[in-house]
CSV table of all heavy atoms in Angstrom, one decimal:
chain,number,residue,atom,x,y,z
Q,1,LEU,N,12.6,-0.7,3.5
Q,1,LEU,CA,12.0,0.5,4.0
Q,1,LEU,C,12.6,1.0,5.3
Q,1,LEU,O,11.9,1.0,6.4
Q,1,LEU,CB,10.4,0.3,4.2
Q,1,LEU,CG,9.7,-0.1,2.9
Q,1,LEU,CD1,8.3,-0.4,3.2
Q,1,LEU,CD2,9.8,1.0,1.9
Q,2,PRO,N,13.8,1.3,5.4
Q,2,PRO,CA,14.5,1.7,6.6
Q,2,PRO,C,13.8,2.9,7.3
Q,2,PRO,O,13.8,2.9,8.5
Q,2,PRO,CB,15.9,2.0,6.2
Q,2,PRO,CG,15.8,2.4,4.7
Q,2,PRO,CD,14.7,1.5,4.2
Q,3,LEU,N,13.2,3.8,6.6
Q,3,LEU,CA,12.6,5.0,7.2
Q,3,LEU,C,11.3,4.7,7.9
Q,3,LEU,O,10.7,5.6,8.4
Q,3,LEU,CB,12.5,6.1,6.2
Q,3,LEU,CG,13.8,6.8,5.8
Q,3,LEU,CD1,13.5,7.9,4.8
Q,3,LEU,CD2,14.5,7.3,7.0
Q,4,LEU,N,10.9,3.4,7.9
Q,4,LEU,CA,9.7,3.0,8.6
Q,4,LEU,C,10.1,2.2,9.8
Q,4,LEU,O,9.2,1.6,10.5
Q,4,LEU,CB,8.7,2.2,7.7
Q,4,LEU,CG,8.1,3.0,6.5
Q,4,LEU,CD1,7.2,2.1,5.7
Q,4,LEU,CD2,7.4,4.2,7.0
Q,5,SER,N,11.3,2.2,10.2
Q,5,SER,CA,11.7,1.4,11.3
Q,5,SER,C,12.8,2.0,12.2
Q,5,SER,O,13.1,1.5,13.2
Q,5,SER,CB,12.3,0.0,10.8
Q,5,SER,OG,13.4,0.2,10.0
Q,6,ASN,N,13.3,3.2,11.8
Q,6,ASN,CA,14.4,3.8,12.6
Q,6,ASN,C,14.1,5.2,13.0
Q,6,ASN,O,15.0,6.1,13.1
Q,6,ASN,CB,15.7,3.8,11.8
Q,6,ASN,CG,15.6,4.6,10.5
Q,6,ASN,OD1,14.6,5.2,10.2
Q,6,ASN,ND2,16.6,4.6,9.7
Q,7,SER,N,12.9,5.4,13.4
Q,7,SER,CA,12.5,6.8,13.9
Q,7,SER,C,13.2,7.0,15.2
Q,7,SER,O,13.4,6.1,16.0
Q,7,SER,CB,11.0,6.9,14.1
Q,7,SER,OG,10.5,6.0,15.0
Q,8,ALA,N,13.6,8.3,15.5
Q,8,ALA,CA,14.4,8.6,16.7
Q,8,ALA,C,13.7,9.7,17.5
Q,8,ALA,O,14.4,10.4,18.3
Q,8,ALA,CB,15.8,9.0,16.3
Q,9,SER,N,12.4,9.8,17.4
Q,9,SER,CA,11.7,10.8,18.2
Q,9,SER,C,10.5,10.1,18.8
Q,9,SER,O,10.0,9.0,18.4
Q,9,SER,CB,11.2,11.9,17.3
Q,9,SER,OG,10.2,11.5,16.3
Q,10,GLU,N,9.9,10.7,19.8
Q,10,GLU,CA,8.8,10.1,20.6
Q,10,GLU,C,7.6,9.9,19.7
Q,10,GLU,O,6.8,8.9,19.9
Q,10,GLU,CB,8.5,11.1,21.8
Q,10,GLU,CG,7.7,10.4,22.9
Q,10,GLU,CD,7.6,11.3,24.1
Q,10,GLU,OE1,6.7,12.2,24.1
Q,10,GLU,OE2,8.4,11.1,25.1
Q,11,HIS,N,7.3,10.9,18.8
Q,11,HIS,CA,6.1,10.7,17.9
Q,11,HIS,C,6.4,9.9,16.7
Q,11,HIS,O,5.5,9.7,15.9
Q,11,HIS,CB,5.6,12.1,17.6
Q,11,HIS,CG,6.4,12.8,16.6
Q,11,HIS,ND1,7.4,13.8,16.9
Q,11,HIS,CD2,6.5,12.8,15.2
Q,11,HIS,CE1,8.0,14.2,15.9
Q,11,HIS,NE2,7.5,13.7,14.8
Q,12,GLY,N,7.7,9.5,16.4
Q,12,GLY,CA,8.0,8.8,15.2
Q,12,GLY,C,7.2,7.6,14.9
Q,12,GLY,O,6.7,7.4,13.8
Q,13,PRO,N,7.1,6.7,15.9
Q,13,PRO,CA,6.3,5.5,15.6
Q,13,PRO,C,4.9,5.8,15.2
Q,13,PRO,O,4.3,5.0,14.4
Q,13,PRO,CB,6.3,4.7,17.0
Q,13,PRO,CG,7.6,5.2,17.6
Q,13,PRO,CD,7.7,6.6,17.2
Q,14,THR,N,4.3,6.8,15.7
Q,14,THR,CA,2.9,7.2,15.3
Q,14,THR,C,2.9,7.6,13.8
Q,14,THR,O,2.0,7.2,13.0
Q,14,THR,CB,2.4,8.4,16.1
Q,14,THR,OG1,2.5,8.0,17.5
Q,14,THR,CG2,0.9,8.6,15.8
Q,15,ILE,N,3.8,8.4,13.4
Q,15,ILE,CA,4.0,8.8,12.0
Q,15,ILE,C,4.2,7.5,11.1
Q,15,ILE,O,3.6,7.4,10.0
Q,15,ILE,CB,5.1,9.8,11.8
Q,15,ILE,CG1,4.8,11.1,12.4
Q,15,ILE,CG2,5.4,10.0,10.3
Q,15,ILE,CD1,3.7,11.9,11.7
Q,16,ASP,N,5.1,6.6,11.5
Q,16,ASP,CA,5.4,5.4,10.8
Q,16,ASP,C,4.1,4.5,10.7
Q,16,ASP,O,3.9,3.9,9.6
Q,16,ASP,CB,6.5,4.6,11.5
Q,16,ASP,CG,7.8,5.4,11.4
Q,16,ASP,OD1,7.9,6.3,10.6
Q,16,ASP,OD2,8.8,5.0,12.0
Q,17,ASN,N,3.3,4.5,11.8
Q,17,ASN,CA,2.1,3.7,11.7
Q,17,ASN,C,1.1,4.2,10.7
Q,17,ASN,O,0.5,3.4,9.9
Q,17,ASN,CB,1.5,3.6,13.1
Q,17,ASN,CG,0.3,2.7,13.2
Q,17,ASN,OD1,0.4,1.5,12.8
Q,17,ASN,ND2,-0.8,3.2,13.6
Q,18,LEU,N,1.0,5.5,10.6
Q,18,LEU,CA,0.1,6.2,9.7
Q,18,LEU,C,0.6,5.9,8.2
Q,18,LEU,O,-0.2,5.6,7.3
Q,18,LEU,CB,0.1,7.7,9.9
Q,18,LEU,CG,-0.8,8.5,8.9
Q,18,LEU,CD1,-2.2,8.1,9.0
Q,18,LEU,CD2,-0.6,10.0,9.3
Q,19,MET,N,1.9,5.9,8.0
Q,19,MET,CA,2.5,5.6,6.7
Q,19,MET,C,2.3,4.2,6.3
Q,19,MET,O,1.9,3.9,5.2
Q,19,MET,CB,4.0,6.0,6.7
Q,19,MET,CG,4.7,5.8,5.4
Q,19,MET,SD,4.0,6.9,4.1
Q,19,MET,CE,4.7,8.5,4.7
Q,20,VAL,N,2.5,3.3,7.3
Q,20,VAL,CA,2.3,1.8,7.0
Q,20,VAL,C,0.8,1.6,6.6
Q,20,VAL,O,0.6,0.8,5.6
Q,20,VAL,CB,2.7,1.0,8.2
Q,20,VAL,CG1,2.2,-0.5,8.0
Q,20,VAL,CG2,4.2,1.0,8.4
Q,21,ILE,N,-0.1,2.1,7.3
Q,21,ILE,CA,-1.5,1.9,7.0
Q,21,ILE,C,-1.8,2.5,5.6
Q,21,ILE,O,-2.5,1.8,4.8
Q,21,ILE,CB,-2.4,2.7,8.0
Q,21,ILE,CG1,-2.3,2.0,9.4
Q,21,ILE,CG2,-3.9,2.7,7.5
Q,21,ILE,CD1,-3.0,2.7,10.5
Q,22,SER,N,-1.3,3.7,5.2
Q,22,SER,CA,-1.5,4.2,3.9
Q,22,SER,C,-0.9,3.3,2.8
Q,22,SER,O,-1.6,3.1,1.8
Q,22,SER,CB,-0.9,5.6,3.8
Q,22,SER,OG,-1.5,6.5,4.8
Q,23,LEU,N,0.3,2.9,3.0
Q,23,LEU,CA,1.0,2.0,2.1
Q,23,LEU,C,0.2,0.7,1.8
Q,23,LEU,O,0.1,0.2,0.7
Q,23,LEU,CB,2.4,1.7,2.5
Q,23,LEU,CG,3.4,2.9,2.4
Q,23,LEU,CD1,4.7,2.5,3.0
Q,23,LEU,CD2,3.6,3.4,0.9
Q,24,VAL,N,-0.3,0.1,2.9
Q,24,VAL,CA,-1.0,-1.2,2.8
Q,24,VAL,C,-2.3,-1.0,2.0
Q,24,VAL,O,-2.6,-1.8,1.1
Q,24,VAL,CB,-1.3,-1.7,4.2
Q,24,VAL,CG1,-2.3,-2.9,4.1
Q,24,VAL,CG2,0.0,-2.2,4.9
Q,25,ILE,N,-3.0,0.1,2.3
Q,25,ILE,CA,-4.3,0.3,1.6
Q,25,ILE,C,-4.0,0.6,0.1
Q,25,ILE,O,-4.6,0.0,-0.8
Q,25,ILE,CB,-5.0,1.5,2.2
Q,25,ILE,CG1,-5.5,1.2,3.6
Q,25,ILE,CG2,-6.2,2.0,1.3
Q,25,ILE,CD1,-6.1,2.3,4.3
Q,26,ILE,N,-3.0,1.4,-0.2
Q,26,ILE,CA,-2.6,1.7,-1.6
Q,26,ILE,C,-2.2,0.4,-2.3
Q,26,ILE,O,-2.6,0.2,-3.4
Q,26,ILE,CB,-1.5,2.8,-1.6
Q,26,ILE,CG1,-2.0,4.1,-1.2
Q,26,ILE,CG2,-0.9,2.9,-3.0
Q,26,ILE,CD1,-0.9,5.2,-0.9
Q,27,PHE,N,-1.3,-0.4,-1.6
Q,27,PHE,CA,-0.9,-1.6,-2.3
Q,27,PHE,C,-2.0,-2.6,-2.6
Q,27,PHE,O,-2.1,-3.2,-3.6
Q,27,PHE,CB,0.2,-2.3,-1.4
Q,27,PHE,CG,0.7,-3.5,-2.0
Q,27,PHE,CD1,1.7,-3.5,-3.0
Q,27,PHE,CD2,0.3,-4.8,-1.5
Q,27,PHE,CE1,2.2,-4.7,-3.5
Q,27,PHE,CE2,0.8,-6.0,-2.1
Q,27,PHE,CZ,1.8,-5.9,-3.1
Q,28,PHE,N,-2.9,-2.7,-1.6
Q,28,PHE,CA,-4.1,-3.6,-1.8
Q,28,PHE,C,-5.0,-3.1,-2.9
Q,28,PHE,O,-5.3,-3.9,-3.8
Q,28,PHE,CB,-4.9,-3.6,-0.5
Q,28,PHE,CG,-6.2,-4.4,-0.6
Q,28,PHE,CD1,-6.1,-5.8,-0.6
Q,28,PHE,CD2,-7.4,-3.8,-0.7
Q,28,PHE,CE1,-7.3,-6.5,-0.7
Q,28,PHE,CE2,-8.6,-4.5,-0.8
Q,28,PHE,CZ,-8.5,-5.9,-0.8
Q,29,VAL,N,-5.3,-1.8,-2.9
Q,29,VAL,CA,-6.2,-1.3,-4.0
Q,29,VAL,C,-5.5,-1.4,-5.3
Q,29,VAL,O,-6.1,-1.8,-6.3
Q,29,VAL,CB,-6.6,0.2,-3.7
Q,29,VAL,CG1,-7.3,0.8,-4.8
Q,29,VAL,CG2,-7.4,0.3,-2.4
Q,30,GLN,N,-4.2,-1.0,-5.4
Q,30,GLN,CA,-3.5,-1.1,-6.7
Q,30,GLN,C,-3.4,-2.5,-7.2
Q,30,GLN,O,-3.6,-2.8,-8.4
Q,30,GLN,CB,-2.1,-0.5,-6.5
Q,30,GLN,CG,-1.3,-0.4,-7.8
Q,30,GLN,CD,-0.5,-1.6,-8.1
Q,30,GLN,OE1,-0.3,-2.5,-7.3
Q,30,GLN,NE2,0.0,-1.6,-9.4
Q,31,THR,N,-3.2,-3.5,-6.3
Q,31,THR,CA,-3.1,-4.9,-6.8
Q,31,THR,C,-4.4,-5.4,-7.3
Q,31,THR,O,-4.5,-6.0,-8.4
Q,31,THR,CB,-2.7,-5.8,-5.6
Q,31,THR,OG1,-1.4,-5.3,-5.1
Q,31,THR,CG2,-2.6,-7.2,-6.0
Q,32,ILE,N,-5.5,-5.1,-6.6
Q,32,ILE,CA,-6.9,-5.5,-7.1
Q,32,ILE,C,-7.3,-4.8,-8.4
Q,32,ILE,O,-7.7,-5.5,-9.3
Q,32,ILE,CB,-7.9,-5.3,-6.0
Q,32,ILE,CG1,-7.6,-6.1,-4.7
Q,32,ILE,CG2,-9.3,-5.7,-6.5
Q,32,ILE,CD1,-7.5,-7.6,-4.9
Q,33,THR,N,-7.2,-3.5,-8.4
Q,33,THR,CA,-7.6,-2.7,-9.6
Q,33,THR,C,-6.8,-3.0,-10.8
Q,33,THR,O,-7.4,-3.1,-11.9
Q,33,THR,CB,-7.6,-1.2,-9.3
Q,33,THR,OG1,-6.3,-0.8,-8.9
Q,33,THR,CG2,-8.6,-0.9,-8.2
Q,34,GLN,N,-5.5,-3.2,-10.7
Q,34,GLN,CA,-4.7,-3.5,-11.8
Q,34,GLN,C,-5.0,-4.9,-12.4
Q,34,GLN,O,-5.1,-5.1,-13.6
Q,34,GLN,CB,-3.2,-3.4,-11.5
Q,34,GLN,CG,-2.7,-2.0,-11.3
Q,34,GLN,CD,-2.9,-1.1,-12.5
Q,34,GLN,OE1,-2.6,-1.5,-13.6
Q,34,GLN,NE2,-3.4,0.1,-12.3
Q,35,PHE,N,-5.3,-5.8,-11.5
Q,35,PHE,CA,-5.7,-7.2,-11.9
Q,35,PHE,C,-7.0,-7.1,-12.7
Q,35,PHE,O,-7.1,-7.7,-13.8
Q,35,PHE,CB,-5.8,-8.1,-10.7
Q,35,PHE,CG,-6.4,-9.5,-11.1
Q,35,PHE,CD1,-5.6,-10.4,-11.7
Q,35,PHE,CD2,-7.7,-9.8,-10.9
Q,35,PHE,CE1,-6.1,-11.7,-12.1
Q,35,PHE,CE2,-8.3,-11.0,-11.2
Q,35,PHE,CZ,-7.4,-12.0,-11.8
Q,36,LEU,N,-8.0,-6.5,-12.1
Q,36,LEU,CA,-9.3,-6.4,-12.8
Q,36,LEU,C,-9.2,-5.7,-14.1
Q,36,LEU,O,-9.8,-6.1,-15.1
Q,36,LEU,CB,-10.3,-5.7,-11.9
Q,36,LEU,CG,-10.7,-6.4,-10.6
Q,36,LEU,CD1,-11.6,-5.5,-9.8
Q,36,LEU,CD2,-11.4,-7.7,-10.9
Q,37,LEU,N,-8.4,-4.6,-14.2
Q,37,LEU,CA,-8.3,-3.8,-15.4
Q,37,LEU,C,-7.7,-4.7,-16.5
Q,37,LEU,O,-8.3,-4.7,-17.7
Q,37,LEU,CB,-7.4,-2.6,-15.2
Q,37,LEU,CG,-7.0,-1.8,-16.4
Q,37,LEU,CD1,-8.2,-1.1,-16.9
Q,37,LEU,CD2,-5.9,-0.8,-16.0
Q,38,HIS,N,-6.6,-5.4,-16.3
Q,38,HIS,CA,-6.0,-6.2,-17.3
Q,38,HIS,C,-6.7,-7.5,-17.6
Q,38,HIS,O,-6.8,-7.9,-18.7
Q,38,HIS,CB,-4.5,-6.5,-16.9
Q,38,HIS,CG,-3.6,-5.3,-16.9
Q,38,HIS,ND1,-3.6,-4.4,-15.8
Q,38,HIS,CD2,-2.7,-4.9,-17.8
Q,38,HIS,CE1,-2.7,-3.5,-16.1
Q,38,HIS,NE2,-2.1,-3.8,-17.2
Q,39,TYR,N,-7.3,-8.1,-16.6
Q,39,TYR,CA,-8.1,-9.3,-16.8
Q,39,TYR,C,-9.3,-9.1,-17.6
Q,39,TYR,O,-9.6,-9.9,-18.5
Q,39,TYR,CB,-8.4,-10.0,-15.4
Q,39,TYR,CG,-9.3,-11.2,-15.6
Q,39,TYR,CD1,-8.8,-12.4,-16.1
Q,39,TYR,CD2,-10.7,-11.2,-15.2
Q,39,TYR,CE1,-9.6,-13.5,-16.2
Q,39,TYR,CE2,-11.5,-12.3,-15.4
Q,39,TYR,CZ,-10.9,-13.5,-15.9
Q,39,TYR,OH,-11.7,-14.6,-16.1
Q,40,PHE,N,-10.0,-8.0,-17.3
Q,40,PHE,CA,-11.2,-7.7,-18.1
Q,40,PHE,C,-10.9,-7.4,-19.5
Q,40,PHE,O,-11.6,-7.7,-20.5
Q,40,PHE,CB,-12.0,-6.5,-17.5
Q,40,PHE,CG,-12.8,-6.9,-16.2
Q,40,PHE,CD1,-13.4,-5.9,-15.4
Q,40,PHE,CD2,-12.9,-8.2,-15.8
Q,40,PHE,CE1,-14.1,-6.3,-14.3
Q,40,PHE,CE2,-13.6,-8.6,-14.7
Q,40,PHE,CZ,-14.2,-7.6,-13.9
Q,41,ALA,N,-9.7,-6.7,-19.7
Q,41,ALA,CA,-9.3,-6.4,-21.1
Q,41,ALA,C,-9.0,-7.7,-21.9
Q,41,ALA,O,-9.2,-7.8,-23.1
Q,41,ALA,CB,-8.1,-5.5,-21.1
Q,42,PHE,N,-8.6,-8.7,-21.2
Q,42,PHE,CA,-8.3,-10.0,-21.8
Q,42,PHE,C,-9.6,-10.8,-22.0
Q,42,PHE,O,-9.9,-11.3,-23.1
Q,42,PHE,CB,-7.3,-10.8,-21.0
Q,42,PHE,CG,-7.2,-12.3,-21.4
Q,42,PHE,CD1,-6.5,-12.6,-22.5
Q,42,PHE,CD2,-7.8,-13.3,-20.7
Q,42,PHE,CE1,-6.4,-13.9,-22.9
Q,42,PHE,CE2,-7.7,-14.6,-21.0
Q,42,PHE,CZ,-7.0,-14.9,-22.2
Q,43,LYS,N,-10.4,-10.9,-20.9
Q,43,LYS,CA,-11.6,-11.8,-21.0
Q,43,LYS,C,-12.7,-11.2,-21.9
Q,43,LYS,O,-13.3,-12.0,-22.7
Q,43,LYS,CB,-12.2,-11.9,-19.6
Q,43,LYS,CG,-13.5,-12.8,-19.5
Q,43,LYS,CD,-13.9,-13.0,-18.1
Q,43,LYS,CE,-15.2,-13.8,-18.0
Q,43,LYS,NZ,-15.1,-15.1,-18.6
């Protein structure tokens, strides 16, 4: 993810921080919901 580490403006790290938070939340929710969806279909 090079575009989350090589910002060249004063406000760049703030934008990157917002993007990282969004990605972490999306990844967490996607991981949990996909597991429950497929596991319940099996169980």
